[in-house]
Amino acid sequence: MPSQPGTRPLRRTLAASVLSSSLLTTCSPTPAPAPLIPRPLAATTPSAPAPRSSPYSKALTRSLHRYLDDLPGQLSVSVRELSTGLSYTYNHRLRTATASIVKVDLVVALLLRAQRRHRGLTGWERRSAARAIKVSDNAAASALWSAIGGASGLAAAHRKLGLRDTTPGPGGAWGATTTSAADQVRLLTALTSPKSPLSARNRRYVLGLMSHVTPEQSWGVSAAGREDVALKNGWLPRPRDGGRWTVNSIGRVRGRHGHTYLIAVLSHRHRTMGAGVKAVEHVAELVTKALTKAASRR
């Protein structure tokens, strides 16, 4: 079975990565290109109905503008610091394909389904979940997609989790699911909050898998703090973008001065995968530094 993107180490060739995205791009008709969306500015909590502004967010927005204005493509970031509640979102209207970050979503949906049936995961389900997240195995993700009931099962999980901006991919193209950075922080909140619909045991289970991603795939939001990171990345070249790259990274990062961040950086239309990774890592580091500085002044 052809694989979706997210299974190849960063150092592999572009040709190998293009092959890895073939299932995602051929499972359904390619939609018409989306119009470019200007970068709106926002500094919000993940659930806030409207953007708010604050001194640290204004300075951070200016810094992001200076960095991103010279780069092709678009990028959105959402971050929340758990101890202070400080948060920030940039370009909140951007929706991108998830690529392989949706594998976390698939495992969470599987766990919610098992909880409803008052059972744990089977041995097969555990092996598939581990392979989907730790090594980004696409065959395992496709099996999980089927196990949860495909798009309808994933949509049901989204309603339970309170995700507002995430739409399952058409047909079997789970990597073509679209999402926002704020929704990905909501998903991460479901892995860290005692108010989550997931049990404490299941929250620890998913974070444990994300804490043991293969080293070749540990780039991304880990740039914000490499001591204790639970993450998942996704990447693919998209025909609808002329072969340019979507590069995403989500995770929980324990960084400087004991602060813990939930962070999602989504981006698309990079000329190369490497350029996308560089942008994602720079933005992750930039926003967490700004929130750390703001937290120290409280």
Side-chain angles (χ1 to χ4, degrees):
M1 176 182 293
S3 61
Q4 299 191 30
T7 60
R8 305 293 185 187
L10 176 58
R11 61 176 180 269
R12 298 293 178 86
T13 64
L14 175 62
S17 295
V18 170
L19 176 62
S20 73
S21 65
S22 59
L23 176 60
L24 186 151
T25 57
T26 59
C27 280
S28 59
T30 302
L36 286 172
I37 304 171
R39 294 190 191 103
L41 314 178
T44 69
T45 61
S47 60
R52 294 184 301 166
S53 187
S54 65
Y56 77 84
S57 71
K58 291 178 181 178
L60 181 51
T61 293
R62 288 193 296 268
S63 295
L64 285 169
H65 268 321
R66 284 194 297 269
Y67 176 67
L68 294 170
D69 279 350
D70 293 330
L71 298 180
Q74 291 182 293
L75 181 146
S76 177
V77 57
S78 189
V79 58
R80 183 159 65 93
E81 201 284 314
L82 292 183
S83 63
T84 62
L86 286 174
S87 62
Y88 177 83
T89 296
Y90 180 87
N91 200 3
H92 70 284
R93 295 186 187 277
L94 182 66
R95 306 291 182 267
T96 67
T98 56
S100 285
I101 62 171
V102 78
K103 290 169 182 172
V104 175
D105 207 353
L106 294 174
V107 172
V108 170
L110 181 72
L111 290 166
L112 289 173
R113 190 180 184 92
Q115 283 183 187
R116 288 196 303 272
R117 298 177 178 181
H118 306 286
R119 65 171 181 84
L121 297 185
T122 66
W124 172 85
E125 288 171 334
R126 284 187 170 274
R127 288 190 296 273
S128 297
R131 288 194 58 78
I133 292 182
K134 293 168 71 172
V135 298
S136 207
D137 184 87
N138 293 320
S142 293
L144 293 176
W145 171 268
S146 296
I148 65 170
S152 61
L154 192 60
H158 293 166
R159 291 190 292 272
K160 185 75 172 176
L161 296 166
L163 304 191
R164 306 168 183 176
D165 309 320
T166 306
T167 303
W174 42 261
T177 297
T178 56
T179 194
S180 69
D183 251 13
Q184 290 303 300
V185 170
R186 292 183 184 104
L187 177 62
L188 293 167
T189 300
L191 299 177
T192 55
S193 170
K195 296 180 180 179
S196 170
L198 281 174
S199 69
R201 180 179 180 180
N202 284 337
R203 295 196 301 271
R204 290 192 299 268
Y205 172 67
V206 180
L207 288 172
L209 296 178
M210 295 170 69
S211 298
H212 291 88
V213 167
T214 187
E216 293 88 352
Q217 298 175 17
S218 63
W219 47 267
V221 296
S222 56
R226 298 182 181 275
E227 293 181 5
D228 186 358
V229 180
L231 62 71
K232 184 72 189 78
N233 297 322
W235 61 98
L236 76 155
R238 301 200 76 195
R240 62 175 289 172
D241 292 332
R244 293 198 173 196
W245 286 80
T246 291
V247 180
N248 302 324
S249 185
I250 64 170
R252 183 202 66 189
V253 178
R254 288 184 176 143
R256 300 168 183 83
H257 309 293
H259 292 288
T260 299
Y261 298 96
L262 305 181
I263 180 168
V265 188
L266 310 181
S267 65
H268 66 177
R269 299 176 183 167
H270 298 285
R271 291 194 178 100
T272 66
M273 178 183 170
V277 171
K278 182 179 179 181
V280 165
E281 291 189 333
H282 180 83
V283 168
E285 190 170 13
L286 185 67
V287 297
T288 52
K289 279 184 177 179
L291 263 68
T292 296
K293 186 174 181 180
S296 70
R297 295 174 176 171
R298 290 172 70 94

